[in-house]
Amino acid sequence: MKIRIAEDYDQMSTWAAELVAQQIKEKHNSVLGLATGSTPEGLYRLLVQMYQEGKLDFSHIITFNLDEYLGLAPTHPQSYAYFMHQHLLDHVNLKPENIHLPDGLAQDLDAFCQKYEEQIIAAGGIDLQVLGIGRNGHIGFNEPHHYLSVGTHTVRLTEDTIEANSRFFNSKDEVPHQAVTMGMGTILKAKKILLLANGKTKAKAIKDALCGRITTRIPASFLQLHRDITVIVDKEAASLL
Ligand code: GLP
């Protein structure tokens, strides 16, 4: 595990963008696993900038997003699909058929989850998975529980996550209680993982995930088992390491 401690959010985002750009340049048809949330916003802004400057080509890149709220249409401003279009997908030359976003409105969710796993396998597996971390140690929407699921699945969100994510909604009542997410197995099968975290609110989760025992109570602790993971955190998120 490589851990890099950045001065601040901007440096974290710059280092992350350099790593993703290197992946895209080394393999022009890379399969990228993408995360939402405030953490990777700076990374996406820099990737868009590199594309606009002619330094990156996404025309053969394939993307799979980590998760989505159940019940939110892609046109809903708080859906993760909307976030991805706003921050990255609409601003680079990704082919629409190469973009995969979990469908929070799928009629048959079990069939959707199975198909999503099959699509990832058919694409050759994820080359680089970008991850943020919840303040309770979740990755994607793999929430702390007495067990974790392997493949893409639906999940009931914890009170802590609903509370943490309510900052993006008008009120806590509007936050969906369920989501669809890649599973721990889907994430751990990625060839490379890039975990990002910034700010004091993530310090405990980062300490527990990277330095503690592996436990389903801290889903991110399973990342310690991965062979090729880079963690880029700012000073505040690293303050308990
Ligand atoms: C959300 C998402 C995660 C994300 C995390 C942190 O609930 N499901 O994929 O990494 O929480 O979000 P943020 O970056 O906004 O702190």
Side-chain angles (χ1 to χ4, degrees), residues 36-39 66-67 80 132-134 138 140-141 161 165 167-168 202:
T36 50
S38 48
T39 310
L66 263 178
D67 49 10
Y80 286 169
I133 186 169
H138 74 218
F141 269 133
T161 295
N165 290 6
R167 69 190 194 277
F168 299 113
K202 300 294 173 68

Side-chain angles (χ1 to χ4, degrees), residues 86-171:
Q86 191 186 23
H87 291 277
L88 180 73
L89 306 175
D90 290 353
H91 310 291
V92 296
N93 63 335
L94 269 157
K95 292 200 181 102
E97 63 269 29
N98 287 341
I99 297 169
H100 303 86
L101 296 156
D103 182 2
L105 294 180
Q107 291 288 319
D108 184 342
L109 282 160
D110 287 345
F112 171 78
C113 292
Q114 199 185 326
K115 186 172 143 216
Y116 206 61
E117 288 290 320
E118 286 165 5
Q119 285 176 318
I120 293 172
I121 293 166
I126 293 169
D127 290 302
L128 175 64
Q129 175 66 57
V130 177
L131 292 177
I133 186 169
R135 64 186 189 188
N136 64 359
H138 74 218
I139 46 176
F141 269 133
N142 292 277
E143 294 276 48
H145 201 44
H146 56 268
Y147 64 82
L148 294 171
S149 298
V150 178
T152 300
H153 62 286
T154 57
V155 62
R156 183 159 288 281
L157 303 182
T158 60
E159 264 308 304
D160 189 70
T161 295
I162 292 169
E163 168 72 39
N165 290 6
S166 65
R167 69 190 194 277
F168 299 113
F169 291 79
N170 291 326
S171 77

Side-chain angles (χ1 to χ4, degrees), residues 6-16 42 45-46 234:
E7 265 314 301
D8 52 23
Y9 180 79
D10 287 345
Q11 191 172 51
M12 177 197 78
S13 303
T14 302
W15 288 351
R45 194 173 54 241
L46 291 169
D234 75 349

